[in-house]
Amino acid sequence: MKIIAIVQARMGSTRLPGKVLADIHGEPLLGRLLDRLYETKLLNDVVVATTINKEDDTLAEWLLSSNTKFFRGSEEDVLDRYWQCALQFNADIIVRITADDPLKDPEVINHAIELYLKNPSVDYVSNTIIPTYPEGIDVEVFSFNALQKAHSLATKKSDREHVTPYIWRNREEFNILNFSAKTDTSSVRLTVDYEEDLTVVTAIFGHFLEQPLIGYQDIVEFLNSSPNVAAINSGILRNEGYFKSLINENKNKNKNENENGR
């Protein structure tokens, strides 16, 4: 049973271009994330899934220089990129990781994998459907069979751009398990979409410079005691990228319906 973390990463972010290689105290943001994933005991492998676009050549060069396994596929059809990557690296179980979350917690990831392994009838485990963890500590674990089914059946752009919505929206087809934290800290933001987010994450790594693998609970405590830092990126909508995809999808649908009704 091969358990692989697939990290989706690209240089062409519309909100903060090049963020995955942004410097955080001498190491790229993606490098900070990979350091944490390599500490996740139940993972058999870590692979970065980037795109075939020329602008991601720089990222591919960095991955080569750092001896990081990677795959290059479609930019817009991220579901296909995941499926192709999982196929190439013979994954039985996939842990979905986004490269803009450099503070992923190895213990939370291990917990998600353990829940998946202890529940053989489950297709998909996550802490994202009912969020109780900080944004940026999200984790999703699912079978290759579930990924393959979603890959063959998903047709909506939002489903293919964001990999897993087809799975967790179709509960009649998939057995879903959501796990929660003991304390709800879902209002805390530990992801990087904007310059403000990068400022906060850089401050966190700076504070814990001698403890780069610190757990998320200690990070939350630091932010609670440093309201000036926490305020920098407060008020940004959680899962903003997915909701933007849905809005654009509905706009296009309404436009097509109006044109067809003329």
Side-chain angles (χ1 to χ4, degrees), residues 134-157:
E135 184 170 15
I137 307 298
D138 321 67
V139 58
E140 298 172 286
V141 182
F142 45 92
S143 66
F144 177 78
N145 289 339
L147 177 65
Q148 181 154 283
K149 189 173 183 180
H151 179 264
S152 63
L153 296 176
T155 56
K156 289 184 177 181
K157 188 176 180 182

PDB file of all heavy atoms in Angstrom, residues 134-157:
ATOM      1  N   PRO A 134      -7.105  25.547  11.403  1.00  0.00           N
ATOM      2  CA  PRO A 134      -6.767  26.760  10.652  1.00  0.00           C
ATOM      3  C   PRO A 134      -6.699  26.485   9.154  1.00  0.00           C
ATOM      4  O   PRO A 134      -6.325  25.375   8.743  1.00  0.00           O
ATOM      5  CB  PRO A 134      -5.374  27.131  11.187  1.00  0.00           C
ATOM      6  CG  PRO A 134      -5.300  26.508  12.536  1.00  0.00           C
ATOM      7  CD  PRO A 134      -6.081  25.231  12.423  1.00  0.00           C
ATOM      8  N   GLU A 135      -7.055  27.468   8.337  1.00  0.00           N
ATOM      9  CA  GLU A 135      -6.846  27.321   6.901  1.00  0.00           C
ATOM     10  C   GLU A 135      -5.343  27.258   6.653  1.00  0.00           C
ATOM     11  O   GLU A 135      -4.588  28.121   7.099  1.00  0.00           O
ATOM     12  CB  GLU A 135      -7.457  28.483   6.127  1.00  0.00           C
ATOM     13  CG  GLU A 135      -7.323  28.285   4.632  1.00  0.00           C
ATOM     14  CD  GLU A 135      -8.107  29.276   3.786  1.00  0.00           C
ATOM     15  OE1 GLU A 135      -8.540  30.304   4.340  1.00  0.00           O
ATOM     16  OE2 GLU A 135      -8.272  29.019   2.582  1.00  0.00           O
ATOM     17  N   GLY A 136      -4.920  26.225   5.941  1.00  0.00           N
ATOM     18  CA  GLY A 136      -3.499  25.990   5.753  1.00  0.00           C
ATOM     19  C   GLY A 136      -3.048  24.726   6.463  1.00  0.00           C
ATOM     20  O   GLY A 136      -1.965  24.201   6.202  1.00  0.00           O
ATOM     21  N   ILE A 137      -3.912  24.192   7.357  1.00  0.00           N
ATOM     22  CA  ILE A 137      -3.640  22.919   8.035  1.00  0.00           C
ATOM     23  C   ILE A 137      -4.573  21.850   7.457  1.00  0.00           C
ATOM     24  O   ILE A 137      -4.693  20.750   7.953  1.00  0.00           O
ATOM     25  CB  ILE A 137      -3.820  23.065   9.573  1.00  0.00           C
ATOM     26  CG1 ILE A 137      -2.975  24.236  10.084  1.00  0.00           C
ATOM     27  CG2 ILE A 137      -3.381  21.818  10.327  1.00  0.00           C
ATOM     28  CD1 ILE A 137      -1.475  24.080   9.865  1.00  0.00           C
ATOM     29  N   ASP A 138      -5.259  22.200   6.373  1.00  0.00           N
ATOM     30  CA  ASP A 138      -6.174  21.275   5.709  1.00  0.00           C
ATOM     31  C   ASP A 138      -5.415  20.067   5.170  1.00  0.00           C
ATOM     32  O   ASP A 138      -4.274  20.184   4.726  1.00  0.00           O
ATOM     33  CB  ASP A 138      -6.876  21.960   4.523  1.00  0.00           C
ATOM     34  CG  ASP A 138      -7.255  23.399   4.823  1.00  0.00           C
ATOM     35  OD1 ASP A 138      -6.330  24.211   4.972  1.00  0.00           O
ATOM     36  OD2 ASP A 138      -8.440  23.692   4.910  1.00  0.00           O
ATOM     37  N   VAL A 139      -6.077  18.922   5.172  1.00  0.00           N
ATOM     38  CA  VAL A 139      -5.488  17.715   4.579  1.00  0.00           C
ATOM     39  C   VAL A 139      -6.615  16.844   4.032  1.00  0.00           C
ATOM     40  O   VAL A 139      -7.705  16.780   4.602  1.00  0.00           O
ATOM     41  CB  VAL A 139      -4.627  16.935   5.602  1.00  0.00           C
ATOM     42  CG1 VAL A 139      -5.433  16.523   6.826  1.00  0.00           C
ATOM     43  CG2 VAL A 139      -3.972  15.726   4.959  1.00  0.00           C
ATOM     44  N   GLU A 140      -6.357  16.211   2.898  1.00  0.00           N
ATOM     45  CA  GLU A 140      -7.311  15.296   2.282  1.00  0.00           C
ATOM     46  C   GLU A 140      -6.581  14.006   1.922  1.00  0.00           C
ATOM     47  O   GLU A 140      -5.490  14.041   1.366  1.00  0.00           O
ATOM     48  CB  GLU A 140      -7.911  15.897   1.012  1.00  0.00           C
ATOM     49  CG  GLU A 140      -8.702  17.178   1.241  1.00  0.00           C
ATOM     50  CD  GLU A 140      -9.097  17.831  -0.071  1.00  0.00           C
ATOM     51  OE1 GLU A 140      -8.212  18.408  -0.719  1.00  0.00           O
ATOM     52  OE2 GLU A 140     -10.279  17.743  -0.448  1.00  0.00           O
ATOM     53  N   VAL A 141      -7.194  12.877   2.267  1.00  0.00           N
ATOM     54  CA  VAL A 141      -6.627  11.559   1.975  1.00  0.00           C
ATOM     55  C   VAL A 141      -7.691  10.757   1.231  1.00  0.00           C
ATOM     56  O   VAL A 141      -8.834  10.675   1.689  1.00  0.00           O
ATOM     57  CB  VAL A 141      -6.223  10.823   3.274  1.00  0.00           C
ATOM     58  CG1 VAL A 141      -5.594   9.462   2.952  1.00  0.00           C
ATOM     59  CG2 VAL A 141      -5.271  11.668   4.101  1.00  0.00           C
ATOM     60  N   PHE A 142      -7.319  10.172   0.098  1.00  0.00           N
ATOM     61  CA  PHE A 142      -8.307   9.411  -0.666  1.00  0.00           C
ATOM     62  C   PHE A 142      -7.628   8.314  -1.464  1.00  0.00           C
ATOM     63  O   PHE A 142      -6.408   8.344  -1.698  1.00  0.00           O
ATOM     64  CB  PHE A 142      -9.127  10.334  -1.592  1.00  0.00           C
ATOM     65  CG  PHE A 142      -8.312  11.335  -2.353  1.00  0.00           C
ATOM     66  CD1 PHE A 142      -7.825  11.061  -3.622  1.00  0.00           C
ATOM     67  CD2 PHE A 142      -8.024  12.585  -1.804  1.00  0.00           C
ATOM     68  CE1 PHE A 142      -7.072  12.000  -4.326  1.00  0.00           C
ATOM     69  CE2 PHE A 142      -7.270  13.531  -2.499  1.00  0.00           C
ATOM     70  CZ  PHE A 142      -6.797  13.224  -3.769  1.00  0.00           C
ATOM     71  N   SER A 143      -8.426   7.356  -1.895  1.00  0.00           N
ATOM     72  CA  SER A 143      -7.892   6.215  -2.638  1.00  0.00           C
ATOM     73  C   SER A 143      -7.655   6.574  -4.099  1.00  0.00           C
ATOM     74  O   SER A 143      -8.282   7.498  -4.642  1.00  0.00           O
ATOM     75  CB  SER A 143      -8.878   5.038  -2.571  1.00  0.00           C
ATOM     76  OG  SER A 143     -10.072   5.364  -3.265  1.00  0.00           O
ATOM     77  N   PHE A 144      -6.763   5.838  -4.716  1.00  0.00           N
ATOM     78  CA  PHE A 144      -6.551   6.018  -6.149  1.00  0.00           C
ATOM     79  C   PHE A 144      -7.837   5.708  -6.913  1.00  0.00           C
ATOM     80  O   PHE A 144      -8.160   6.379  -7.902  1.00  0.00           O
ATOM     81  CB  PHE A 144      -5.417   5.129  -6.653  1.00  0.00           C
ATOM     82  CG  PHE A 144      -5.221   5.235  -8.145  1.00  0.00           C
ATOM     83  CD1 PHE A 144      -4.551   6.318  -8.692  1.00  0.00           C
ATOM     84  CD2 PHE A 144      -5.746   4.275  -9.009  1.00  0.00           C
ATOM     85  CE1 PHE A 144      -4.384   6.441 -10.074  1.00  0.00           C
ATOM     86  CE2 PHE A 144      -5.590   4.381 -10.389  1.00  0.00           C
ATOM     87  CZ  PHE A 144      -4.906   5.466 -10.920  1.00  0.00           C
ATOM     88  N   ASN A 145      -8.591   4.715  -6.446  1.00  0.00           N
ATOM     89  CA  ASN A 145      -9.850   4.366  -7.112  1.00  0.00           C
ATOM     90  C   ASN A 145     -10.837   5.528  -7.095  1.00  0.00           C
ATOM     91  O   ASN A 145     -11.527   5.787  -8.087  1.00  0.00           O
ATOM     92  CB  ASN A 145     -10.489   3.135  -6.453  1.00  0.00           C
ATOM     93  CG  ASN A 145      -9.731   1.855  -6.750  1.00  0.00           C
ATOM     94  OD1 ASN A 145      -8.984   1.793  -7.731  1.00  0.00           O
ATOM     95  ND2 ASN A 145      -9.902   0.844  -5.919  1.00  0.00           N
ATOM     96  N   ALA A 146     -10.908   6.246  -5.953  1.00  0.00           N
ATOM     97  CA  ALA A 146     -11.790   7.420  -5.866  1.00  0.00           C
ATOM     98  C   ALA A 146     -11.317   8.505  -6.819  1.00  0.00           C
ATOM     99  O   ALA A 146     -12.125   9.147  -7.506  1.00  0.00           O
ATOM    100  CB  ALA A 146     -11.833   7.945  -4.437  1.00  0.00           C
ATOM    101  N   LEU A 147     -10.006   8.718  -6.872  1.00  0.00           N
ATOM    102  CA  LEU A 147      -9.443   9.712  -7.786  1.00  0.00           C
ATOM    103  C   LEU A 147      -9.740   9.340  -9.230  1.00  0.00           C
ATOM    104  O   LEU A 147     -10.130  10.203 -10.043  1.00  0.00           O
ATOM    105  CB  LEU A 147      -7.933   9.815  -7.574  1.00  0.00           C
ATOM    106  CG  LEU A 147      -7.164  10.771  -8.500  1.00  0.00           C
ATOM    107  CD1 LEU A 147      -7.590  12.213  -8.276  1.00  0.00           C
ATOM    108  CD2 LEU A 147      -5.656  10.627  -8.288  1.00  0.00           C
ATOM    109  N   GLN A 148      -9.584   8.075  -9.552  1.00  0.00           N
ATOM    110  CA  GLN A 148      -9.817   7.628 -10.930  1.00  0.00           C
ATOM    111  C   GLN A 148     -11.287   7.799 -11.319  1.00  0.00           C
ATOM    112  O   GLN A 148     -11.598   8.213 -12.440  1.00  0.00           O
ATOM    113  CB  GLN A 148      -9.393   6.169 -11.078  1.00  0.00           C
ATOM    114  CG  GLN A 148      -9.568   5.622 -12.492  1.00  0.00           C
ATOM    115  CD  GLN A 148      -8.606   4.483 -12.771  1.00  0.00           C
ATOM    116  OE1 GLN A 148      -7.430   4.701 -13.016  1.00  0.00           O
ATOM    117  NE2 GLN A 148      -9.113   3.269 -12.719  1.00  0.00           N
ATOM    118  N   LYS A 149     -12.178   7.501 -10.372  1.00  0.00           N
ATOM    119  CA  LYS A 149     -13.614   7.654 -10.634  1.00  0.00           C
ATOM    120  C   LYS A 149     -13.959   9.126 -10.865  1.00  0.00           C
ATOM    121  O   LYS A 149     -14.691   9.468 -11.806  1.00  0.00           O
ATOM    122  CB  LYS A 149     -14.419   7.099  -9.468  1.00  0.00           C
ATOM    123  CG  LYS A 149     -15.917   7.008  -9.720  1.00  0.00           C
ATOM    124  CD  LYS A 149     -16.609   6.292  -8.580  1.00  0.00           C
ATOM    125  CE  LYS A 149     -18.099   6.120  -8.854  1.00  0.00           C
ATOM    126  NZ  LYS A 149     -18.777   5.405  -7.736  1.00  0.00           N
ATOM    127  N   ALA A 150     -13.422  10.002 -10.022  1.00  0.00           N
ATOM    128  CA  ALA A 150     -13.660  11.437 -10.187  1.00  0.00           C
ATOM    129  C   ALA A 150     -13.085  11.923 -11.513  1.00  0.00           C
ATOM    130  O   ALA A 150     -13.718  12.715 -12.226  1.00  0.00           O
ATOM    131  CB  ALA A 150     -13.032  12.208  -9.029  1.00  0.00           C
ATOM    132  N   HIS A 151     -11.920  11.419 -11.866  1.00  0.00           N
ATOM    133  CA  HIS A 151     -11.265  11.817 -13.113  1.00  0.00           C
ATOM    134  C   HIS A 151     -12.107  11.451 -14.330  1.00  0.00           C
ATOM    135  O   HIS A 151     -12.183  12.199 -15.310  1.00  0.00           O
ATOM    136  CB  HIS A 151      -9.892  11.155 -13.204  1.00  0.00           C
ATOM    137  CG  HIS A 151      -9.142  11.477 -14.456  1.00  0.00           C
ATOM    138  ND1 HIS A 151      -9.144  10.656 -15.562  1.00  0.00           N
ATOM    139  CD2 HIS A 151      -8.371  12.551 -14.782  1.00  0.00           C
ATOM    140  CE1 HIS A 151      -8.403  11.204 -16.513  1.00  0.00           C
ATOM    141  NE2 HIS A 151      -7.924  12.351 -16.076  1.00  0.00           N
ATOM    142  N   SER A 152     -12.771  10.308 -14.264  1.00  0.00           N
ATOM    143  CA  SER A 152     -13.555   9.848 -15.414  1.00  0.00           C
ATOM    144  C   SER A 152     -14.945  10.469 -15.470  1.00  0.00           C
ATOM    145  O   SER A 152     -15.534  10.559 -16.550  1.00  0.00           O
ATOM    146  CB  SER A 152     -13.673   8.315 -15.390  1.00  0.00           C
ATOM    147  OG  SER A 152     -14.363   7.880 -14.239  1.00  0.00           O
ATOM    148  N   LEU A 153     -15.469  10.931 -14.323  1.00  0.00           N
ATOM    149  CA  LEU A 153     -16.858  11.406 -14.285  1.00  0.00           C
ATOM    150  C   LEU A 153     -17.013  12.925 -14.144  1.00  0.00           C
ATOM    151  O   LEU A 153     -18.034  13.472 -14.557  1.00  0.00           O
ATOM    152  CB  LEU A 153     -17.612  10.718 -13.136  1.00  0.00           C
ATOM    153  CG  LEU A 153     -17.783   9.201 -13.234  1.00  0.00           C
ATOM    154  CD1 LEU A 153     -18.471   8.661 -11.981  1.00  0.00           C
ATOM    155  CD2 LEU A 153     -18.578   8.821 -14.483  1.00  0.00           C
ATOM    156  N   ALA A 154     -16.046  13.590 -13.562  1.00  0.00           N
ATOM    157  CA  ALA A 154     -16.181  15.035 -13.308  1.00  0.00           C
ATOM    158  C   ALA A 154     -16.122  15.822 -14.613  1.00  0.00           C
ATOM    159  O   ALA A 154     -15.215  15.629 -15.424  1.00  0.00           O
ATOM    160  CB  ALA A 154     -15.090  15.508 -12.359  1.00  0.00           C
ATOM    161  N   THR A 155     -17.087  16.711 -14.799  1.00  0.00           N
ATOM    162  CA  THR A 155     -17.129  17.531 -16.015  1.00  0.00           C
ATOM    163  C   THR A 155     -17.090  19.028 -15.720  1.00  0.00           C
ATOM    164  O   THR A 155     -16.677  19.818 -16.568  1.00  0.00           O
ATOM    165  CB  THR A 155     -18.404  17.227 -16.827  1.00  0.00           C
ATOM    166  OG1 THR A 155     -19.550  17.428 -15.989  1.00  0.00           O
ATOM    167  CG2 THR A 155     -18.387  15.795 -17.343  1.00  0.00           C
ATOM    168  N   LYS A 156     -17.509  19.442 -14.516  1.00  0.00           N
ATOM    169  CA  LYS A 156     -17.510  20.864 -14.176  1.00  0.00           C
ATOM    170  C   LYS A 156     -16.080  21.385 -14.050  1.00  0.00           C
ATOM    171  O   LYS A 156     -15.200  20.699 -13.526  1.00  0.00           O
ATOM    172  CB  LYS A 156     -18.243  21.103 -12.855  1.00  0.00           C
ATOM    173  CG  LYS A 156     -19.747  20.918 -12.934  1.00  0.00           C
ATOM    174  CD  LYS A 156     -20.375  21.280 -11.599  1.00  0.00           C
ATOM    175  CE  LYS A 156     -21.892  21.171 -11.666  1.00  0.00           C
ATOM    176  NZ  LYS A 156     -22.500  21.546 -10.365  1.00  0.00           N
ATOM    177  N   LYS A 157     -15.869  22.602 -14.517  1.00  0.00           N
ATOM    178  CA  LYS A 157     -14.538  23.210 -14.453  1.00  0.00           C
ATOM    179  C   LYS A 157     -14.052  23.322 -13.010  1.00  0.00           C
ATOM    180  O   LYS A 157     -12.881  23.072 -12.711  1.00  0.00           O
ATOM    181  CB  LYS A 157     -14.560  24.589 -15.120  1.00  0.00           C
ATOM    182  CG  LYS A 157     -13.170  25.204 -15.261  1.00  0.00           C
ATOM    183  CD  LYS A 157     -13.220  26.534 -16.004  1.00  0.00           C
ATOM    184  CE  LYS A 157     -11.812  27.117 -16.136  1.00  0.00           C
ATOM    185  NZ  LYS A 157     -11.815  28.423 -16.813  1.00  0.00           N
TER     186      LYS A 157
END
